[in-house]
Amino acid sequence: MNGGLVLSTICPPQWTLRWDTKTSNSRCRIHHKLKTLASSADSAVVSGELLEQVDKELSKGDDRAALSLVKDSHSKPGGLKAFGAARQVPQRLYSLDELKLNSIETSSILAPKDTTLGAIERNLLIAALLGFISAWNAFDFGPEELLYITLPLFFLWTLDTVAFAGGFGSLVLDTIGHNISQKYHNRVIQHEAGHFLIAYMLGILPKGYTLSSLEAFQREGSLNVQAGTVFVDFEFTEQISQGRVTATMLNKFSCIALAGVATEYLLYGYAEGGLSDVNTLDGLLRSLGFTQKKADSQVRWAVLNTILILRRHEQARTLLAKAMSEGKSVGSCIDVIEKNIDETDI
């Protein structure tokens, strides 16, 4: 709205009859600027109050009410503009060469291997073994003492594997990883920020997140729950229960599932975490009867679409990750996205 507007479209017509052109233009610009600033301030207040209400509804477990608030706001002037507003690429079969032209190597995204935690686990096992050998030599343990030490350890390991699917071991390893490896800690935060941003911009409302297994255990009280972002997904759940998933919902799910590994790829050149995300998407496509060719087409499109969205909104994702690392509420995280999204790219 710069420079090319007719004066009467901004100011009341009678003003142009009373003032000379120079004065009229000057005062009109001031008047318009004041109105714009007032409107922006009002929108900020409204958005702040709205997001506080969204947080309240989510805390009460009323996902439908929270989603309704966000959807209603999106359709109103001055509302939440970024929700479900991501600009996406056309859906078709993309070749690997086309992805490479966009600087995307799928092998570095779709086969994540957690080398950081793997190295930590190996070092812990080596340290434990060396400590055991040192203790054996220092205290001259015999076969009986060895049995007393190893039998309880073996029992605890078996119990964790059978009863908790390795949850306790994963919690311990994840907690150590967060405390001794800044790289691992940062990667988890960025990974979850990718999930959060892509979900919101595709029209799926996040309802909570955890950044460590310990935080997830404290919140959920279960060892089988790991760090992650959860969403208001009753629409998807209802479609799954009916045995029919729409193409639109499948597209959203595919992009959200791959958002974490895509974020890691953009930041580090490869993904370490997110193998369960890739496997979950693969399992869903198989359950829907997708052929390998059709599944490959869906995954390639989702990878390209997700990465291009993340590239366009890098600043919003960076600031969102910072907000999540500080433990901000879902509403506050949404506010960060809304304030830092590039409106020309939605």
Side-chain angles (χ1 to χ4, degrees):
M1 298 178 64
N2 294 324
L5 292 179
V6 178
L7 185 62
S8 61
T9 63
I10 304 177
C11 296
Q14 64 269 25
W15 288 10
T16 60
L17 298 176
R18 296 179 183 176
W19 301 334
D20 62 82
T21 304
K22 183 177 180 181
T23 305
S24 176
N25 283 337
S26 177
R27 295 190 182 182
C28 242
R29 284 194 296 270
I30 294 172
H31 176 69
H32 177 63
K33 186 174 182 180
L34 289 173
K35 286 179 65 178
T36 302
L37 290 173
S39 177
S40 299
D42 289 343
S43 296
V45 172
V46 171
S47 295
E49 294 176 349
L50 168 71
L51 292 174
E52 287 180 5
Q53 187 61 38
V54 169
D55 279 334
K56 289 180 182 179
E57 297 299 342
L58 291 175
S59 66
K60 292 190 299 184
D62 196 341
D63 295 353
R64 292 180 185 270
L67 180 59
S68 179
L69 286 169
V70 174
K71 283 185 173 180
D72 289 346
S73 170
H74 177 67
S75 62
K76 296 176 181 178
L80 302 175
K81 58 183 180 293
F83 183 69
R87 178 158 56 87
Q88 304 185 59
V89 299
Q91 187 169 22
R92 61 173 175 82
L93 175 60
Y94 290 92
S95 67
L96 291 176
D97 288 338
E98 286 180 295
L99 267 63
K100 288 180 180 179
L101 287 174
N102 286 276
S103 302
I104 298 173
E105 292 288 344
T106 54
S107 60
S108 299
I109 302 174
L110 300 177
K113 185 177 180 181
D114 203 332
T115 55
T116 303
L117 271 192
I120 292 174
E121 185 176 19
R122 286 193 301 273
N123 291 336
L124 287 174
L125 289 174
I126 292 172
L129 180 60
L130 292 175
F132 181 75
I133 293 174
S134 299
W136 188 328
N137 292 328
F139 298 103
D140 194 24
F141 287 153
E144 186 174 345
E145 289 83 2
L146 178 63
L147 180 64
Y148 288 151
I149 294 173
T150 56
L151 192 59
L153 293 175
F154 180 75
F155 172 76
L156 291 174
W157 177 79
T158 303
L159 177 65
D160 180 44
T161 302
V162 174
F164 305 113
F168 181 74
S170 297
L171 185 151
V172 172
L173 184 59
D174 178 77
T175 302
I176 294 173
H178 277 284
N179 283 279
I180 71 174
S181 173
Q182 190 63 40
K183 175 188 174 183
Y184 176 75
H185 178 71
N186 291 338
R187 181 167 60 79
V188 172
I189 295 171
Q190 300 294 342
H191 184 105
E192 296 307 325
H195 282 306
F196 194 115
L197 177 66
I198 291 298
Y200 184 76
M201 295 201 67
L202 292 180
I204 300 295
L205 179 64
K207 69 175 180 179
Y209 63 90
T210 53
L211 300 178
S212 69
S213 295
L214 180 60
E215 184 182 353
F217 173 70
Q218 291 171 336
R219 183 171 299 181
E220 303 292 337
S222 172
L223 288 172
N224 294 324
V225 180
Q226 296 183 350
T229 305
V230 291
F231 309 97
V232 177
D233 59 354
F234 60 84
E235 294 173 327
F236 177 71
T237 303
E238 290 170 357
Q239 291 184 18
I240 287 289
S241 65
Q242 296 169 2
R244 181 179 59 85
V245 179
T246 65
T248 299
M249 186 60 72
L250 178 61
N251 288 345
K252 292 180 180 180
F253 180 89
S254 301
C255 293
I256 295 169
L258 298 176
V261 291
T263 301
E264 290 191 42
Y265 173 74
L266 289 175
L267 291 174
Y268 309 109
Y270 60 93
E272 287 194 16
L275 181 60
S276 60
D277 297 332
V278 176
N279 290 339
T280 298
L281 176 58
D282 184 57
L284 175 63
L285 296 178
R286 284 202 310 270
S287 71
L288 294 174
F290 276 42
T291 63
Q292 189 61 53
K293 181 178 180 180
K294 189 175 181 181
D296 288 344
S297 175
Q298 179 70 25
V299 170
R300 289 176 190 174
W301 171 82
V303 166
L304 177 62
N305 193 50
T306 302
I307 284 185
L308 292 183
I309 295 173
L310 288 169
R311 282 175 178 165
R312 286 195 296 269
H313 303 292
E314 180 181 2
Q315 180 182 6
R317 182 200 50 74
T318 300
L319 294 174
L320 171 63
K322 182 177 184 296
M324 293 174 71
S325 70
E326 296 170 353
K328 300 292 186 181
S329 69
V330 169
S332 296
C333 289
I334 291 174
D335 191 43
V336 169
I337 295 174
E338 291 287 340
K339 287 179 178 177
N340 294 280
I341 210 72
D342 187 348
E343 292 189 53
T344 63
D345 277 324
I346 58 176

